[in-house]
Every structure is written in structure tokens, then in C-alpha cells.
Amino acid sequence: IATISIYTGVDIPGTATFTSSVVSEDNKSVTFTWETPSVGLNGKYVDPAFVTYQVVRYWEDFDYWFAESGVLDEAQYTFTLKDDDDQDLALQRLGIVSISAAGSTNSSEVLAVYLGNPYKMPIEEAFEDGESHYVGMTIEDEEIYTGSWSLDNPVYYVENAIHRDDLALVAMTEENTTSVASVVMPKFSTKGAEMADAIFNVYFYENMGEAEVFVRDYTGVETSIGKITGNEFEKGWNEVVFALPAEMIGKTWLEVIVKATLENKNEYFIIGGYKFKETSSVQSFETVNGMVIGGVNEIILKGMQSELVSIYTIDGKLVFMNNIENESKRIQVQPGIYIVKVGRDTTKVIVK
């Protein structure tokens, strides 16, 4: 007698997949959505209309997932830090349990998001003692970006890239085709600031990778604030300064993103540290090599003695580069904010 086995009845839902997440303006909550696959754990059809859900939250102290919500009929939830939660910036891990009449899933995708009070400026990270001192630095989805980042000794990748404590952030790829590696810096606030700069300590060398720097707030819109290319500075460690756009000042939280483009596995992009700090509309700046003054339609250089001077717009466009040997030189520019590099000193001036 021939027999066959037939599965009948309701199947257990498969693992839910997150479809969107939006962090609130105050960085204290996140609203997210998900969907249930139509195929259950036994390979049978599951009707989402008959599936309910429960949000779970991971507690590291207990190494356990606890129920965060009651039973939900809709595939949407807003998680908010409670008054008795630690309000410092910290990683929150959330998951979804899908439930049908046959049972519930015992696995879940994880939504990982940093919530809490963003850092106040100034932030200065140089990876002293071989570690990162601010929480929230995140390497973006490797399924989207084929490059990656690693905190490692830069000398392992580029000869002479010696850095204190032997640690830097290195972008790399295993591919011999163009790859992008994206890293998000910790959240910080520009509340109360008049102006603010994002500053990166970058190792420049021949045939290095390039990078574009972005900033985004709770809307999720990324705004480019400039590029870093290999021909901007002399070989070695140099500070690259970007002025944050006016529309990003007064924000409860921001994220700065660095996206490095690497043409092959022999190219790297190396960051030895970063700073986010408040600035003001300074009109002059004295360096060890002379003085930089923002004037009317001009930038005035005084007391320079055989110094390489580079002037950039705030979006990273080079407008002047030359060795200055005169006691005083006036460079005609349009009104605006400029980044001026004199030797290894960097400042920002406003031209009216």
C-alpha cells in the first residue's frame, strides 16, 4: 500500500523582516515596520492577516530577550526609552516574534539602533589606548557596501603610516573592482552652536582611496559636506576640516558619515581620529607661520615665509594653492566661508 505524508492545518510563521525604521528628533524613540513571509517554517502558506506579533528587547545584563510589547495586530511599533532607562547614548536591540495558531517563531531579525542623549561638542576621538571612546560608531550594511572598515594598526596596510597607540580606522576591500566602505560616526548635538566643524585626521599617500563626507539628521536625508582626495595635502597625517551647513546647526542630533571609494584591494583610506567642535565667525587666525585674515572679497595672508597655503570652499573645492614667500599677500575670493591650510595649521575664515 502506498502512503504519503501531508501537512495540514496552520503553519508556524517564518522570521519577520524589518522594512523601515525612523528615529525621532529627540533620539529617544524609533518607529519601525516589518513584514511576515508568506511561507512558514514547514514550507506552507501563511496568511499574514492571521498572524500577530510581539516586540522583544535584548537586555545585555541578563543576556536575554524580554517582551517589550503586548500582542500586536499590526506590523508597526514605536519603541520609546522609559523614564527609568539609562538616558545615555546606548545600543538598543529589538526583535519581532511572529505568532499564529500553530505557534511562534523562535528566531528574529535584529533592529540595532543607538538611542539616548547624543554627545555634546566638543568630541575628540584619537583612539588612544587602542580603543574607541565614544559609543555609536557603526559600519554600514555590508550587503550594500562591498568595502569594510577595521580598527587596526595602519602600518599593516601602508608603510610609514605610524600612528600613536598603533590604532586607526582603515577602509579596505577584498575586491579588485570599485568598492565603497561606509562608516557612521557617533551621534552628537549642535544645539546652541553658532557654527560647527567636522575634522578628520587622514593619512595621505600616493594611490590612496578617496572619500566623501556626509551629514544627516533625523529626517534621514544625507547632505554632502565635501570630499577627501589624495592630491589635497602633502604625504603624511593631515587634518581635513569641513564646516557643517547652516541647516545642520541647532539640531538635537546629527550623524557624520564617511564613504570611502577604493578601486582595488591595494587601496586604503585611513582615519587616525576625528573631532566635532563648535566654532564662531572668527575673522582672523594667527598660526606659527603667520596670520590669516578674512576681509571684504579677499583673504589676507601676513608674515608667511615660504609656506604652502591651500584655500578651500566649505564644500571642499580647492580655490588656491601656492607657496607664499611674501610678507603680505591678498587673495581675491567671493564672499563666504573658507578653510585655509598654512603648512600643517588649518583654520576657517569668513569673507564678507
Side-chain angles (χ1 to χ4, degrees):
I1 300 174
T3 62
I4 59 173
S5 298
I6 301 175
Y7 183 91
T8 61
V10 181
D11 202 353
I12 299 172
T15 301
T17 303
F18 290 103
T19 53
S20 69
S21 64
V22 178
V23 176
S24 62
E25 187 174 3
D26 65 1
N27 204 50
K28 298 297 180 67
S29 65
V30 57
T31 299
F32 50 94
T33 60
W34 60 90
E35 62 183 10
T36 299
S38 58
V39 178
L41 294 184
N42 295 293
K44 306 305 177 182
Y45 174 73
V46 172
D47 187 347
F50 295 95
V51 176
T52 56
Y53 310 95
Q54 187 171 49
V55 175
V56 291
R57 179 186 183 188
Y58 179 73
W59 286 84
E60 188 172 4
D61 290 346
F62 302 95
D63 190 25
Y64 191 80
W65 292 85
F66 289 90
E68 174 64 27
S69 74
V71 176
L72 306 172
D73 294 323
E74 295 185 356
Q76 176 176 314
Y77 186 76
T78 297
F79 167 79
T80 302
L81 290 177
K82 300 175 179 62
D83 291 340
D84 57 352
D85 283 329
D86 188 347
Q87 299 297 307
D88 290 339
L89 191 66
L91 179 64
Q92 303 295 332
R93 298 181 180 93
L94 303 167
I96 304 297
V97 175
S98 300
I99 307 165
S100 73
S104 61
T105 54
N106 58 6
S107 64
S108 173
E109 282 194 351
V110 176
L111 175 65
V113 59
Y114 285 91
L115 298 179
N117 296 322
Y119 290 108
K120 295 181 180 179
M121 296 186 292
I123 294 174
E124 296 190 17
E125 176 65 271
F127 308 119
E128 295 100 339
D129 304 319
E131 62 183 42
S132 177
H133 298 86
Y134 297 90
V135 302
M137 187 171 69
T138 306
I139 298 171
E140 294 209 280
D141 195 342
E142 294 182 359
E143 293 183 2
I144 300 175
Y145 299 99
T146 54
S148 63
W149 292 85
S150 176
L151 274 173
D152 207 344
N153 189 336
V155 176
Y156 295 160
Y157 305 92
V158 178
E159 187 178 5
N160 298 322
I162 300 171
H163 194 254
R164 59 183 174 183
D165 292 319
D166 298 329
L167 195 68
L169 192 58
V170 183
M172 63 191 74
T173 181
E174 295 297 323
E175 307 293 330
N176 267 324
T177 57
T178 302
S179 300
V180 176
S182 182
V183 61
V184 182
M185 301 304 170
K187 293 177 178 177
F188 66 100
S189 174
T190 56
K191 281 281 191 182
E194 180 182 353
M195 304 169 68
D197 285 344
I199 305 170
F200 293 93
N201 187 24
V202 176
Y203 189 77
F204 285 80
Y205 69 98
E206 188 176 0
N207 298 322
M208 64 181 279
E210 300 183 351
E212 188 166 6
V213 182
F214 300 83
V215 62
R216 70 183 174 203
D217 63 3
Y218 75 98
T219 65
V221 177
E222 296 181 0
T223 301
S224 175
I225 58 174
K227 296 182 179 181
I228 304 174
T229 59
N231 58 3
E232 290 184 62
F233 296 95
E234 60 189 32
K235 182 178 179 180
W237 291 102
N238 293 274
E239 282 196 340
V240 185
V241 182
F242 298 102
L244 297 185
E247 61 269 24
M248 293 297 175
I249 302 301
K251 297 289 187 178
T252 300
W253 68 268
L254 296 176
E255 291 175 320
V256 171
I257 309 155
V258 180
K259 297 184 181 182
T261 300
L262 311 168
E263 296 301 329
N264 55 66
K265 61 183 179 182
N266 295 316
E267 280 191 1
Y268 303 97
F269 188 87
I270 304 174
I271 299 174
Y274 58 86
K275 303 175 187 176
F276 305 133
K277 66 178 187 178
E278 181 180 358
T279 58
S280 61
S281 52
V282 176
Q283 296 302 308
S284 65
F285 179 77
E286 187 171 357
T287 76
V288 295
N289 305 306
M291 180 171 287
V292 180
I293 303 171
V296 178
N297 291 317
E298 64 180 358
I299 295 174
I300 305 166
L301 307 173
K302 290 186 176 182
M304 306 295 166
Q305 296 182 355
S306 190
E307 291 294 338
L308 178 63
V309 176
S310 306
I311 301 176
Y312 301 85
T313 60
I314 61 170
D315 60 358
K317 181 180 178 181
L318 180 66
V319 296
F320 177 87
M321 176 182 284
N322 209 340
N323 281 300
I324 304 299
E325 299 181 357
N326 301 325
E327 283 297 313
S328 180
K329 184 173 181 64
R330 297 173 181 269
I331 301 168
Q332 301 299 309
V333 294
Q334 296 295 317
I337 302 173
Y338 293 86
I339 307 299
V340 182
K341 181 174 174 60
V342 182
R344 290 189 175 274
D345 291 330
T346 303
T347 187
K348 177 175 63 179
V349 296
I350 295 178
V351 175
K352 297 181 178 180

